[in-house]
Amino acid sequence: MAQRTARSRSLPTVRALIARHSGPDAAFGRRLVLAVTATAAVAVPFALALVLVESRWPPLYRLDRTTAERLHRTALEHPAWVRVLDFFTGVVWDPVTMRLLVAALVVWLLTRRAWRLATWAGVTATSGALIGFLVKNAVERARPHLPEPVAHAPGFSFPSGHAMTAMTSCAVLLLVLLPLVPRPWRPLPWALATTAVLGVGYTRVALGVHWVSDVVGGWLLGIAVVTATALAFEAWRADTGRPRTTVTEGLEPEITSDTDPEAPSRPTTPPVTQGS
C-alpha cells in the first residue's frame, strides 16, 4: 500500500519533468545544439585546412607546387586559353558579378515582401565577404611566384576570395530560387552552380594567382558561412510553425505563393459541428 502511494505521488513529478523537457524551451535548446553541431562540423574541415597551410604540411605543399607549375606550363604554351580563363575569372565569375546577382535577388525579394529571406541573402553575402577578408589578412599567405606570370592579383592568397564568393553566391541563389524551378528542371541550376564553383577554382589556379589549397579553403569557408546563416533561417521557420525543408526544396518553398510568403503558418482546425 505504501509503495502504491509513493508511486502515485511520483507520477506528477515525472509528468512535470517530461512536460518541461518537451516544451518550446526544450525545442529551442535542441535546435540550438543542432545548429552549433552542424556549423562546427562544416567549419572543422576549413580549420584543418588552415592548420595544414600554416604548418606548411609537406604533402599539401608538394600538391600546391606541382599543380601550379604544371598548369603554368600549359598557360605559357596556350596564350589564347589564358585569355579565355581571364575572361571567365574577371568577368563572368568575378566577385563583383556574383555580388551583383545576389543584390538583384535581394531587390526582387523585397518587391515580393519576403523581408526575412532578403535579409538572409544579404547578410550571408556580406558576412561571407567580410569573413573572407579578415581571414585572408590574418593568415597573410603569399600568392604563387612563378616565372613569366600570365596574370597578377593583389593582396594575400588564403583563402581564395573568388572561390569563396562563388560558393556563397551560388548557394544563396540556389536556396532562394530552387522552389521556382519545376522539379524536372532542377538538375540544371545545380549543374550551373557546380560549374561556376569548380570553374572559378580552376581559373584561379591555372592563372597562377592561387594555390589549390587556397581554392579549397575558400570553398570550405563559404560552406560554413552559408550553413550557419541557413540554420538561423530554419530556426525562424520553426518558430513560426512552418515545416522543415531540405536543400532540394530551397529555404522558403512558400516563395512561389502569391500571398505574403512570410505570413505565420496557422494550424487548421476542423469545423465544429453542433449536435441536434
Side-chain angles (χ1 to χ4, degrees):
M1 190 65 156
Q3 291 180 349
R4 184 178 302 173
T5 303
R7 188 179 305 170
S8 62
R9 290 176 179 175
S10 64
L11 286 177
T13 303
V14 173
R15 293 194 187 98
L17 289 173
I18 294 175
R20 184 181 302 174
H21 290 282
S22 60
D25 291 340
F28 174 74
R30 287 193 295 270
R31 291 200 302 271
L32 187 61
V33 171
L34 178 62
V36 171
T37 303
T39 305
V42 296
V44 164
F46 171 76
L48 177 61
L50 177 58
V51 170
L52 295 179
V53 167
E54 287 284 79
S55 63
R56 295 176 65 88
W57 188 49
L60 181 61
Y61 179 81
R62 287 194 297 269
L63 172 65
D64 281 339
R65 177 62 62 179
T66 302
T67 305
E69 292 175 350
R70 184 174 65 251
L71 292 178
H72 183 61
R73 287 194 298 269
T74 303
L76 290 176
E77 295 169 359
H78 302 86
W81 180 235
V82 172
R83 289 192 292 270
V84 172
L85 296 177
D86 190 60
F87 171 75
F88 275 97
T89 195
V91 178
V92 180
W93 296 324
D94 186 75
V96 174
T97 304
M98 293 290 185
R99 289 166 187 155
L100 286 176
L101 289 175
V102 175
L105 176 70
V106 170
V107 171
W108 176 76
L109 290 172
L110 292 175
T111 62
R112 293 184 61 88
R113 304 178 63 84
W115 314 116
R116 290 182 179 84
L117 195 56
T119 301
W120 173 82
V123 167
T124 301
T126 304
S127 60
L130 179 60
I131 291 172
F133 174 79
L134 293 176
V135 173
K136 188 187 291 280
N137 284 272
V139 176
E140 294 186 344
R141 188 188 195 187
R143 292 183 184 271
H145 292 283
L146 300 169
E148 302 180 51
V150 297
H152 299 275
F156 298 111
S157 190
F158 182 91
S160 167
H162 277 68
M164 184 175 178
T165 303
M167 178 62 75
T168 54
S169 300
C170 288
V172 167
L173 293 169
L174 273 176
L175 291 176
V176 172
L177 298 177
L178 268 180
L180 302 173
V181 181
R183 288 188 179 275
W185 289 92
R186 288 186 183 179
L188 179 58
W190 279 103
L192 292 174
T194 302
T195 300
V197 170
L198 295 179
V200 167
Y202 175 78
T203 60
R204 303 310 286 169
V205 179
L207 290 173
V209 293
H210 275 297
W211 306 105
V212 172
S213 52
D214 297 336
V215 170
V216 175
W219 289 341
L220 294 175
L221 188 56
I223 292 174
V225 170
V226 172
T227 300
T229 58
L231 288 172
F233 189 87
E234 185 68 24
W236 167 78
R237 285 182 58 85
D239 289 339
T240 56
R242 294 178 179 270
R244 295 181 63 86
T245 61
T246 62
V247 175
T248 57
E249 295 174 328
L251 274 185
E252 189 84 292
E254 295 83 0
I255 196 67
T256 58
S257 174
D258 292 332
T259 59
D260 186 354
E262 294 185 355
S265 177
R266 294 184 175 87
T268 57
T269 56
V272 179
T273 57
Q274 297 181 352
S276 56

